[in-house]
Amino acid sequence: MAVWDRLVGQARAIELLDRAARDAHAPDTKSNSMTHAWLFTGPPGAGRSTAAILFAAAILCENFGCGTCSICKQVLNDQHPDVNRFIPQQITITRDESESLIREASVMPLTGDYRIIIIEDADRLSEVSGNMLLKSIEEPHSRAVWILCTPSVDDVLPTIRSRCRTLSLATPAWQEVSQLLIREGIEPAMAAYSARAAQGHVGRARGLATDEAT
């Protein structure tokens, strides 16, 4: 199962990200699909963080995100040394945290071709911590990739926004979420009920289905 099978209801986004990941493996291509900084936006449950992780796997995987190799499994399990997934634990991302992310981004890849920094809830960047990241996002080393996840483009500083390629995700239809749950082993009736009740929020639907099943 390719990694993209885990991203529900985002056909346009998958097409763009798959093309970018393939271009990342051929940096001399004339295509401009791949870039060093991305801003993934969308409402809660649309799959911003999931898309970021899957994109990281596709960039590093020799088969563009096969979903079964050791590289894909490491990325999906937050165990790959070249992928730093930062999940803020405070209301605001601090100066110290920004400095740490900048240091991480400056390190050359250890095993893969790229060093990938994922910032979930990047809307928690303050003006100070956001401006600290700006130069690193604007002028990273050639093997660094930044992926910022926020509900909307207005949630980050305009200076950061202007230096990122924006990818907008939408809330998937409940039917699509239901099919995902079925593929994950949930009984069809429970999958449909959970997807409807969660109103297309994938994580909430999965949690509801597994809670009800136990």
Side-chain angles (χ1 to χ4, degrees), residues 195-210:
R196 279 197 182 108
Q199 297 181 328
H201 190 300
V202 177
R204 194 176 299 147
R206 184 181 286 118
L208 182 60
T210 54

Side-chain angles (χ1 to χ4, degrees), residues 9-94:
Q10 311 294 345
R12 187 193 65 81
I14 289 172
E15 180 181 359
L16 189 156
L17 294 176
D18 180 65
R19 185 166 63 246
R22 292 174 186 274
D23 286 350
H25 288 260
D28 295 330
T29 182
K30 294 182 180 180
S31 170
N32 63 352
S33 297
M34 185 60 191
T35 188
H36 66 275
W38 295 78
L39 180 62
F40 288 8
T41 68
R48 299 185 307 262
S49 299
T50 298
I53 295 164
L54 301 183
F55 187 36
I59 290 172
L60 295 173
C61 171
E62 294 180 357
N63 296 305
F64 319 114
C66 65
T68 57
C69 70
S70 61
I71 292 174
C72 285
K73 290 178 180 178
Q74 284 181 321
V75 176
L76 297 177
N77 292 320
D78 289 331
Q79 295 175 343
H80 197 286
D82 291 325
V83 180
N84 183 339
R85 181 185 178 194
F86 175 66
I87 304 174
Q89 300 300 312
Q90 304 179 65
I91 295 176
T92 302
I93 296 174
T94 67

Side-chain angles (χ1 to χ4, degrees), residues 101-118:
L101 291 168
I102 292 168
R103 287 194 297 271
E104 288 284 345
S106 69
V107 176
M108 291 300 289
L110 297 175
T111 63
D113 290 332
Y114 292 90
R115 185 78 168 173
I116 302 171
I117 309 297
I118 299 171

Side-chain angles (χ1 to χ4, degrees), residues 84-151:
N84 183 339
R85 181 185 178 194
F86 175 66
I87 304 174
Q89 300 300 312
Q90 304 179 65
I91 295 176
T92 302
I93 296 174
T94 67
R95 290 177 58 96
D96 288 346
E97 288 169 333
S98 286
E99 288 176 352
S100 177
L101 291 168
I102 292 168
R103 287 194 297 271
E104 288 284 345
S106 69
V107 176
M108 291 300 289
L110 297 175
T111 63
D113 290 332
Y114 292 90
R115 185 78 168 173
I116 302 171
I117 309 297
I118 299 171
I119 304 180
E120 298 191 15
D121 300 320
D123 49 302
R124 299 190 192 184
L125 285 165
S126 66
E127 185 172 358
V128 172
S129 57
N131 280 322
M132 289 178 65
L133 291 181
L134 182 59
K135 184 173 178 58
S136 185
I137 291 175
E138 184 178 24
E139 299 177 1
H141 68 68
S142 61
R143 293 296 178 176
V145 178
W146 289 88
I147 307 174
L148 281 61
C149 303
T150 67

Side-chain angles (χ1 to χ4, degrees), residues 138-196:
E138 184 178 24
E139 299 177 1
H141 68 68
S142 61
R143 293 296 178 176
V145 178
W146 289 88
I147 307 174
L148 281 61
C149 303
T150 67
S152 77
V153 295
D154 296 325
D155 291 323
V156 294
L157 294 172
T159 48
I160 289 180
R161 184 167 69 236
S162 66
R163 288 159 176 79
C164 296
R165 176 167 297 167
T166 300
L167 180 75
S168 299
L169 304 176
T171 302
W174 72 263
Q175 295 92 335
E176 294 170 313
V177 177
S178 177
Q179 288 302 311
L180 173 67
L181 296 179
I182 291 171
R183 291 198 300 270
E184 293 179 351
I186 301 299
E187 191 271 331
M190 177 58 69
Y193 162 76
S194 301
R196 279 197 182 108

